[in-house]
Every structure is written in C-alpha cells, then in structure tokens.
Amino acid sequence: MAKISKVVKNNVRKEKVKLWADRRAAAKKIINDPKSTVEQVDQAVLVLQKMPRDASPARVRNRCSQTGRPRGYLRKFGISRVSLRGLALEGQIPGVVKSSW
C-alpha cells in the first residue's frame, strides 16, 4: 500500500490539471499556430510559464486504483501487476485466466 499522502497529492494534481486545462490548451494553441506573431508566441510562453507546475498533465502519476502503487501499472486494467495477479487468481477479472502448460 502506498503512502496515503502520495495518493492524495496525486489526486490534488489531477484536479489542478482539470482546472487549468482550458487556459493551458489556449496558450499551447497560440504557441503551435504558425500564423501567430512572435509577440503573441512570447506572451503565450510567459502565460504558460506562470501557470502552476502541477497544472501540467505530465506531473500526474498513474497509480493502482486499489493499492496506490506507482510501479507496474497496467493501463488496460487501471491496477498494478501485483493486484492484477491476485484478482486474476481469484477469478474476479472476466476473461483473464492463469496460464499453465
């Protein structure tokens, strides 16, 4: 089980990313637009730099929904490999069977 503080901090980051998403997208659009003037691009870069660091989606960490484990995360299931194995052995995940040969 991960530290509760790390899980909570990651959830706060997710909320902050949602809060700043529109403003961040607008600044990125101006920066990436080839028709933007140099002054507009410079202004948009300054706006982007003044945003909180946690507003960036790259700072959000994928974590297991059950244990909060940050490593071994499987996107398809939304859980870590350890949790996946335990649930698969119990038969809790439809269509997943332990292989043996």
Side-chain angles (χ1 to χ4, degrees), residues 35-63:
K35 296 179 182 177
S36 296
T37 64
V38 176
E39 292 81 18
Q40 289 175 330
V41 172
D42 289 342
Q43 185 65 30
V45 168
L46 287 174
V47 168
L48 199 61
Q49 287 176 349
K50 291 187 182 204
M51 289 184 187
R53 285 186 172 190
D54 286 346
S56 172
R59 291 178 67 95
V60 175
R61 179 79 186 199
N62 288 332
R63 290 186 173 269

Side-chain angles (χ1 to χ4, degrees), residues 5-94:
S5 62
K6 293 290 186 180
V7 175
V8 170
K9 187 174 187 178
N10 199 45
N11 290 338
V12 169
R13 281 185 177 157
K14 285 180 184 178
E15 292 300 320
K16 198 170 276 193
V17 166
K18 287 179 188 175
L19 182 70
W20 288 84
D22 296 334
R23 289 175 263 190
R24 188 174 182 80
K28 289 275 211 174
K29 185 177 180 182
I30 293 170
I31 293 169
N32 293 327
D33 187 17
K35 296 179 182 177
S36 296
T37 64
V38 176
E39 292 81 18
Q40 289 175 330
V41 172
D42 289 342
Q43 185 65 30
V45 168
L46 287 174
V47 168
L48 199 61
Q49 287 176 349
K50 291 187 182 204
M51 289 184 187
R53 285 186 172 190
D54 286 346
S56 172
R59 291 178 67 95
V60 175
R61 179 79 186 199
N62 288 332
R63 290 186 173 269
C64 176
S65 60
Q66 294 187 336
T67 62
R69 181 182 167 88
R71 306 278 179 119
Y73 177 82
L74 302 171
R75 288 180 186 222
K76 184 174 183 180
F77 299 100
I79 56 177
S80 68
R81 60 181 178 80
V82 178
S83 299
L84 177 74
R85 186 163 194 261
L87 291 174
L89 288 174
E90 293 172 6
Q92 298 293 323
I93 302 175

